[in-house]
Structure formats: structure tokens, C-alpha cells
Amino acid sequence: MLKGGLQSGKPQLSVIIPSAAFGGAVISFVLCSSELVKCRMQVQGTDSLVPKSGRYDGPLDCALKTLRTEGVTGIFRGGFTTLLRESIGNAVFFTTYEHVRYYMHLKMKDASPNQSNLMDVGVGIMSGGLSGIAVSCFFQWKIVIFLEEREILNGTKTIIQTSTDRGSTRNPFQILKSIYVRSGLKGCYTGLGPTIVRAFPANAAAIVTWELAVKIMGIKRE
């Protein structure tokens, strides 16, 4: 019987990868437009990217102006890159999470019931944190340079979504190649340190909260 990608307690990649990737693909359609607005709002202080005459009054104004000037396809600009990030990223995240969780529980199977809750928190912290780091390292090399922080604006998704030129390329691999030509391999890892520092606590907190919610609802995972 399969439960959460597990069969007899052991993670099954044939279940984890496709289910996680499919979930990520669905999420990408929701994230794409909201992240486009976020990215364009973040670069407003940079005159070379957004002239003062073209700045937005707020997120809603940004979305409406994008729709008016670029159409419906404009609000989903960068959708292919977001789809890749979320589908592959989810597969990497949950593969790492299930394996770390499984082997940590295997090592602690003889723990006393009094230590159970504390150990569950520890497992959640490590499995969530390491999974977040795995995704960050994978995408620093594979698709994007630095997606979320305002200070670094040469990530491929950020370039795609902040460009107002309708004729500019939307191919993330072409942009990644141009960054490699301009800055070399080192440029493709710009921002990796801050990404990892953020990824561990953020994902650890998310997984600990999720595991706690599962326990409160009485859902048996194993």
C-alpha cells in the first residue's frame, strides 16, 4: 500500500517524482502572474530597468498596465521558466524530504515515547531545511541565478519578467547562456550563499508546521 510515496515505509521515487512534479506544474500557473508583478515592483527603483514615467502605483496598477500593454500573455510572461522551477523543484524537494525523513526515523526507531515529539521537530527541521538547500543548489546551476532577492536582478526568470520589450526572448536557456558568456560560471552562482541561508530556516519552518498539522488531524503517514 502506498502512502505519501512510501511503500513499507521506504520512499518510492516512482511515486514521489511524478506526483511532486505535477503538483508543482499546477502551482506554477498561480505563481507566474503574482511573481511577475512582484519582480516588476521590486525593480522600480532602478532607472535603467523602469524609467520614472513607467513606474507603478501598486501591485494592482502593475497588473492592469501589464494587461493593457502586453495582453493576457504578458501577465504570464516567464511561465515556462516558472513551470520548470516548480515542477522540477518540487520533485527535488520532496525526494530529498522523504529520504532524509525516512533515514532519520530509521536511526531513531528505538527512541522512547517521551522523546518522540522533540525528535519529530528535529526531523522536520533537518528534512525541510536540507530539502530547501537541495532545491536552491539545483536551480542556481540549472535554471536561475537568484530569483527572489531585490539586490540581484540578473536571474533568468527576473530578466524575463521585468523586461517590457515584447520582442525580447523568453527562453530561460538563452538568457542563462548570455549570462555565462558575460560573467562565466561564477556568474551562474551569484547569490547562492544568501539563497541557502534563507532556504534552510524557511523550509524547516514550513515542514515542521506541516508535520504538526498532520499530527493534530490524526493522519497516519506510516
Side-chain angles (χ1 to χ4, degrees):
M1 184 176 181
L2 296 174
K3 292 184 179 181
L6 303 180
Q7 185 175 33
S8 300
K10 190 172 182 180
Q12 299 294 301
L13 294 180
S14 60
V15 176
I16 297 171
I17 293 176
S19 57
F22 179 74
V26 173
I27 291 170
S28 69
F29 288 97
V30 179
L31 289 179
C32 182
S33 56
S34 61
E35 289 192 346
L36 178 137
V37 171
K38 183 204 70 172
C39 288
R40 291 192 174 187
M41 292 295 295
Q42 283 180 324
V43 300
Q44 290 220 88
T46 309
D47 291 341
S48 61
L49 290 174
V50 181
K52 292 182 180 180
S53 59
R55 293 181 183 176
Y56 311 109
D57 296 328
L60 181 59
D61 181 53
C62 176
L64 292 175
K65 284 183 177 177
T66 300
L67 283 169
R68 186 163 56 248
T69 58
E70 301 177 44
V72 176
T73 57
I75 202 70
F76 287 100
R77 190 180 183 94
F80 177 60
T81 312
T82 307
L83 176 66
L84 287 177
R85 187 194 69 184
E86 294 303 317
S87 58
I88 300 174
N90 265 22
V92 172
F93 182 92
F94 283 103
T95 296
T96 305
Y97 163 71
E98 291 289 2
H99 279 83
V100 172
R101 182 179 181 277
Y102 171 73
Y103 286 109
M104 287 189 72
H105 276 297
L106 202 63
K107 293 290 184 181
M108 300 184 300
K109 61 182 179 180
D110 297 325
S112 65
N114 294 333
Q115 297 174 310
S116 179
N117 290 334
L118 184 60
M119 286 188 164
D120 284 345
V121 172
V123 170
I125 290 173
M126 293 305 298
S127 59
L130 291 176
S131 298
I133 289 177
V135 174
S136 298
C137 290
F138 183 84
F139 279 104
Q140 292 293 87
W141 168 78
K142 183 67 176 175
I143 296 177
V144 297
I145 291 174
F146 196 60
L147 292 173
E148 307 294 340
E149 296 300 327
R150 179 175 180 173
E151 290 78 7
I152 305 299
L153 297 175
N154 60 342
T156 57
K157 188 176 76 66
T158 304
I159 287 177
I160 291 171
Q161 293 192 318
T162 55
S163 174
T164 55
D165 181 5
R166 299 184 69 175
S168 62
T169 181
R170 300 188 183 192
N171 187 323
F173 302 106
Q174 288 183 6
I175 295 176
L176 187 61
K177 180 180 178 181
S178 70
I179 293 171
Y180 177 79
V181 171
R182 183 175 69 247
S183 306
L185 187 62
K186 183 179 179 180
C188 296
Y189 282 91
T190 301
L192 178 61
T195 302
I196 290 176
V197 169
R198 182 191 61 182
F200 190 96
N203 288 281
I207 290 299
V208 168
T209 303
W210 182 73
E211 294 267 10
L212 179 61
V214 168
K215 183 174 289 188
I216 290 174
M217 290 186 290
I219 298 174
K220 300 295 183 180
R221 297 203 61 213
E222 297 174 336

